[in-house]
Amino acid sequence: MRKLILIPGNKLRLLHCGSDYFSSLLEEIAQAHSEIYLETYIFSDDAISLQVRDALIAAATRGVQVRVIIDWIGSGDRRSQLLMHEFAMGGVECRCFNPWFKRGLARTHRKIVVIDQSVALLGGLNIIDDYVADDGSGLILAFPRWDFAVTVQGALLAHIHLEVEAQWLRLGKLALTTRVKLIRELRKQLIVKSHQPMLAALVVRDNLRNRSTIQRAYLHALGMARKRAILANPYFAPGRKLRNALISAAARGVDVTLIIGVGQFALQDAITHSFYPKLLQHGVKIVEYRKTQLHAKVAVIDDEWATVGSSNFDGLSLFVNQEANVVIRDQGFARDLSEHLEQGIKDGITVAAEDYANHPWYRRFWYGTAYLMYRGLMRIATLGGYT
């Protein structure tokens, strides 16, 4: 596993929900003059997605090299085929990640855009209207999906560009010698001059050199926590190590709060509820976010360590899929994100231990059964890695 190295010389700006993200994305695409890489799990067909599609085609028309990676499961087979055709007609290069599971179970769940090697956008937002449910139901949300991303400038940008460029190359036809050279390039410690002070690191998860990088980043941060940790995630079903890290932090007196998305998938909710008794017993606070669909994958620890990215707290994100987070050590950035998380706590419902105890026995039995089924499937999918 590549060591997590926080490098100075960065400027990061927090983007909250689609209103921030898509306005920034469309503005940067409109100003692009040489190169655009865009990698996403979902590329939908709603109004905002078509606006992004048309902006990418317009950039290609004026001579910008535009390369798009979409996931076959996330976007769907029919949508993927149509997008690839539309992009090809408009001069945009497009590749589909792992169609028909030809390369195993892994999906690209990353959401990364790099433009002109001068700015990147990275986080949890797919190319989909954030007033439309992202589960394929077409449900219109009362409030925009709660999610975050960042814009990145400075030294870290070279790392992000190299990563998304390598992903593009891996999806093409590469000779063995070229693949070896690519791996060596990815292992290099890039040094880029910048006058920005912010410390940041790109943390990716794949099934080769970075199998547990994102989880280890969380484990290290929780292990060093002394005052408070707020973590928001839509799908909570981590392995034992991360669950124990949350409990250990709470046992040391750290104020640990989990903001968890509920109400979207009944099976996921049941699995998540199976963890509540032990977490609550050991002092971990749980807040269920029900105002709208929670899609954020963010955390703030001790008002100085923060992360924003694509990785959920479940077996698929932590042990199977390709993911990308940014870790930031900066009090100003952490304070900005903390304000949003505090609002999320206010908008949520705090779970008490007695609430779970009052659930009928058959519901608690279902929670445990759902977890056992999930654990069995994840152990198969991860070859025993999920525990």
Side-chain angles (χ1 to χ4, degrees):
M1 185 197 77
R2 187 173 58 185
K3 184 180 178 181
L4 175 64
I5 300 176
L6 290 154
I7 58 175
N10 301 286
K11 179 181 179 182
L12 283 83
R13 179 168 63 93
L14 185 66
L15 302 176
H16 178 226
C17 296
S19 56
D20 282 355
Y21 180 77
F22 288 112
S23 60
S24 296
L25 175 61
L26 291 168
E27 180 180 353
E28 295 296 345
I29 291 174
Q31 295 176 0
H33 57 80
S34 62
E35 176 190 85
I36 298 173
Y37 280 98
L38 186 151
E39 181 178 349
T40 186
Y41 179 65
I42 298 173
F43 203 125
S44 190
D45 59 354
D46 52 64
I48 190 66
S49 303
L50 298 181
Q51 196 174 350
V52 174
R53 178 203 63 185
D54 293 345
L56 292 169
I57 291 174
T61 301
R62 64 176 185 267
V64 178
Q65 182 183 64
V66 182
R67 291 174 167 173
V68 175
I69 298 171
I70 55 177
D71 187 81
W72 179 72
I73 286 290
S75 298
D77 181 55
R78 292 183 61 185
R79 180 62 183 152
S80 298
Q81 293 295 328
L82 178 59
L83 265 176
M84 293 177 73
H85 173 73
E86 292 173 339
F87 278 141
M89 295 295 291
V92 173
E93 299 176 72
C94 182
R95 290 176 177 171
C96 188
F97 186 92
N98 197 14
W100 301 106
F101 299 100
K102 294 178 181 178
R103 302 188 183 192
L105 297 176
R107 314 310 317 169
T108 181
H109 194 245
R110 313 189 315 180
K111 294 89 178 177
I112 308 174
V113 183
V114 182
I115 298 176
D116 290 342
Q117 300 189 43
S118 62
V119 64
L121 293 85
L122 186 152
L125 285 95
N126 291 290
I127 307 301
I128 182 173
D129 191 315
D130 62 353
Y131 277 94
V132 179
D134 64 0
D135 55 11
S137 66
L139 178 70
I140 303 301
L141 305 174
F143 298 94
R145 186 181 300 102
W146 200 49
D147 210 344
F148 296 91
V150 292
T151 61
V152 182
Q153 294 175 296
L156 189 63
L157 187 63
H159 295 252
I160 300 173
H161 179 266
L162 178 59
E163 186 64 41
V164 74
E165 183 182 43
Q167 181 79 302
W168 175 265
L169 293 174
R170 283 193 293 261
L171 295 181
K173 295 181 179 179
L174 286 179
L176 179 59
T177 54
T178 305
R179 288 187 180 275
V180 171
K181 182 179 178 181
L182 182 60
I183 292 172
R184 288 175 178 172
E185 286 295 319
L186 288 168
R187 286 177 174 171
K188 284 183 179 179
Q189 176 62 29
L190 299 179
I191 300 175
V192 181
K193 292 182 179 180
S194 174
H195 298 294
Q196 301 294 343
M198 193 180 293
L199 287 166
L202 175 67
V203 195
V204 298
R205 204 221 79 84
D206 55 40
N207 291 304
L208 294 173
R209 69 193 192 285
N210 293 303
R211 295 178 64 86
S212 58
T213 314
I214 291 177
Q215 176 170 268
R216 290 195 181 189
Y218 274 111
L219 293 176
H220 182 264
L222 286 167
M224 298 297 292
R226 293 295 176 266
K227 296 179 181 179
R228 191 175 191 192
I230 311 177
L231 307 94
N233 215 273
Y235 312 124
F236 185 84
R240 188 178 294 111
K241 287 183 179 180
L242 187 49
R243 300 198 306 268
N244 287 344
L246 293 166
I247 290 170
S248 295
R252 297 195 308 272
V254 179
D255 183 2
V256 180
T257 301
L258 284 174
I259 308 174
I260 300 175
V262 293
Q264 187 178 12
F265 301 110
L267 178 59
Q268 176 64 55
D269 288 350
I271 297 166
T272 299
H273 287 150
S274 72
F275 301 114
Y276 282 11
K278 188 173 182 180
L279 291 170
L280 292 169
Q281 177 187 347
H282 289 86
V284 176
K285 299 175 183 176
I286 299 174
V287 177
E288 294 185 341
Y289 188 87
R290 296 178 178 271
K291 179 178 179 179
T292 186
Q293 189 179 51
L294 187 156
H295 197 255
K297 305 94 162 51
V298 298
V300 174
I301 296 177
D302 285 346
D303 296 325
E304 61 178 24
W305 185 99
T307 186
V308 178
S310 68
S311 181
N312 296 313
F313 284 163
D314 64 3
L316 290 175
S317 280
L318 295 174
F319 298 96
V320 179
N321 291 337
Q322 298 195 8
E323 306 284 356
N325 279 35
V326 172
V327 169
I328 308 105
R329 289 191 70 95
D330 180 83
Q331 291 185 352
F333 185 94
R335 184 167 53 249
D336 191 7
L337 181 54
S338 291
E339 290 176 0
H340 288 286
L341 294 179
E342 292 285 0
Q343 185 61 51
I345 293 172
K346 292 178 183 178
D347 290 337
I349 298 173
T350 301
V351 179
E354 55 267 27
D355 294 337
Y356 184 91
N358 290 331
H359 286 186
W361 70 266
Y362 55 84
R363 287 178 62 184
R364 284 178 279 146
F365 177 79
W366 163 234
Y367 300 156
T369 302
Y371 167 67
L372 290 175
M373 291 189 301
Y374 181 82
R375 185 181 65 177
L377 290 172
M378 283 298 100
R379 284 186 173 179
I380 294 171
T382 64
L383 301 178
Y386 179 86
T387 57

